[in-house]
Amino acid sequence: MPGLFAYGMAFGTVAVRKGFSLIDAVIMSGTGYAGVAQLIVLESWPQRLTVPAIAATAAVTALISSRFLLIGASLRPWLGSQPSAKIYPALFLLTELNWLMSMRYRANGGSDPAYFLGGGAVIYCVWEVSTAAGFWQFDRRSAYLRYRPGVAGVLCRHAGVDVARHARLDWLDYRRRGRGHHLLSVRRHVAPDCWRARRFGGGRLDR
Amino acid sequence: MIATDPAGFFGMLPAMTHAVYATRAGGFWLIGRVTIGRRLQRMLKALPGAVIASTVAPILLAGGITAWFAVAAAAATMIALRNDFAAVLAGVAVAALARGAGL
């Protein structure tokens, strides 16, 4: 469980570095739910998300997750008698941890399939929370705007404003005066810059 | 990046989700397609051990002597006490000691 939490936090941290928002990271953890594969995908996140790039990433994900093929197969003797309308949704929550716990539970004479489902649900929650925790603890330490592109951040990137330079200044500002003042200064200084850059077709300086 | 390419991000999500879910459900589904004879039954029984061994093996190879000590300590504790928490504690403690001793 601590190991799981550490991995979740690592994912959250990498997500910040890659410019994901908290919601993006949590959504990715919640739908992909691929554990280590998520980390690897994130580290090799393609520059441009074309269809071949996405297909390649999916293939890599499947390859890394292929251990689940064997793990799933070993669940068949136990869960094979369950109705498939129940078992296939539950398999979404299959991880090494609840599989291992279920195997132990079975070896000790247990047979209630709810054990597998309950363990999976707990692990799912831990994964989500640890992703958010990793994101948060890195985000607090990192430059505010660069790594948390809200509406202003997205606008700046599209407009080609040097977000990194602003972020360095803003981060000092944020540390010194707190969030309320900081947001005010973003609105006063960065947002007009975005607007100006867009109007005059400014170059993309931040890449 | 999501900030510059939200459409791509939301294309990536279902691709990943389906790829992973296919492996999760696929093994279970595939093995249900075949009739489970005596040999297959024995194979399935041996699978958990094999999966765990294949998880530990790369760690042993990459971790060097520290990992060997830690896994040996965990295995010895498991055999002696039949308690997985004690085994994990023993493994972590030995790994910490070995690292601390500069191995």
Side-chain angles (χ1 to χ4, degrees):
Chain A
M1 215 46 112
L4 177 75
F5 204 85
Y7 266 114
M9 283 188 74
F11 174 73
T13 305
V14 178
V16 180
R17 273 204 279 117
K18 290 285 175 179
F20 281 49
S21 76
L22 176 61
I23 303 292
D24 302 330
V26 170
I27 287 178
M28 194 170 165
S29 268
T31 57
Y33 195 41
V36 191
Q38 268 175 243
L39 264 174
I40 295 168
V41 164
L42 210 52
E43 283 289 2
S44 58
W45 194 260
Q47 203 77 61
R48 286 173 51 91
L49 289 167
T50 53
V51 171
I54 291 177
T57 311
V60 169
T61 318
L63 189 68
I64 301 165
S65 308
S66 58
R67 63 188 190 282
F68 288 134
L69 287 173
L70 288 179
I71 289 177
S74 73
L75 282 172
R76 191 85 207 190
W78 179 32
L79 300 176
S81 55
Q82 295 298 314
S84 45
K86 280 187 180 171
I87 210 67
Y88 281 102
L91 278 175
F92 180 77
L93 296 175
L94 169 65
T95 61
E96 285 96 338
L97 264 177
N98 64 334
W99 168 73
L100 211 57
M101 277 156 58
S102 302
M103 282 293 156
R104 153 144 315 206
Y105 168 75
R106 273 256 300 162
N108 291 336
S111 64
D112 188 355
Y115 188 90
F116 173 75
L117 181 63
V122 170
I123 291 163
Y124 187 85
C125 293
V126 170
W127 182 246
E128 288 285 22
V129 169
S130 61
T131 300
F135 192 98
W136 179 77
Q137 67 102 24
F138 191 84
D139 195 36
R140 260 175 51 118
R141 278 193 270 142
S142 60
Y144 185 68
L145 210 144
R146 182 171 170 73
Y147 293 112
R148 248 174 57 179
V151 176
V154 171
L155 274 178
C156 288
R157 291 209 176 187
H158 279 295
V161 169
D162 187 354
V163 180
R165 185 174 63 81
H166 276 297
R168 275 192 296 278
L169 299 174
D170 283 345
W171 177 235
L172 291 174
D173 188 55
Y174 179 59
R175 287 262 300 265
R176 220 170 33 231
R177 297 195 300 173
R179 189 162 188 272
H181 278 291
H182 167 73
L183 287 180
L184 255 178
S185 85
V186 168
R187 225 165 287 147
R188 265 193 216 125
H189 304 297
V190 182
D193 255 10
C194 289
W195 178 79
R196 230 174 284 135
R198 178 173 264 191
R199 192 160 169 214
F200 297 119
R204 291 177 177 248
L205 300 174
D206 61 330
R207 251 164 297 170
Chain B
M1 242 55 7
I2 172 74
T4 52
D5 198 354
F9 177 72
F10 288 107
M12 185 71 106
L13 273 188
M16 267 186 78
T17 307
H18 283 101
V20 177
Y21 184 70
T23 61
R24 284 208 165 97
F28 184 81
W29 178 77
L30 270 178
I31 209 77
R33 300 278 96 188
V34 295
T35 46
I36 300 182
R38 285 240 324 276
R39 281 180 59 147
L40 199 56
Q41 190 85 49
R42 287 223 305 276
M43 211 186 89
L44 284 181
K45 261 195 155 164
L47 253 185
V51 170
I52 292 167
S54 62
T55 316
V56 174
I59 300 173
L60 278 182
L61 284 180
I65 193 86
T66 317
W68 284 94
F69 274 134
V71 170
T77 316
M78 193 66 202
I79 291 165
L81 298 180
R82 295 256 139 225
N83 181 326
D84 41 1
F85 285 108
V88 168
L89 280 181
V92 171
V94 167
L97 282 177
R99 288 265 157 77
L103 280 178

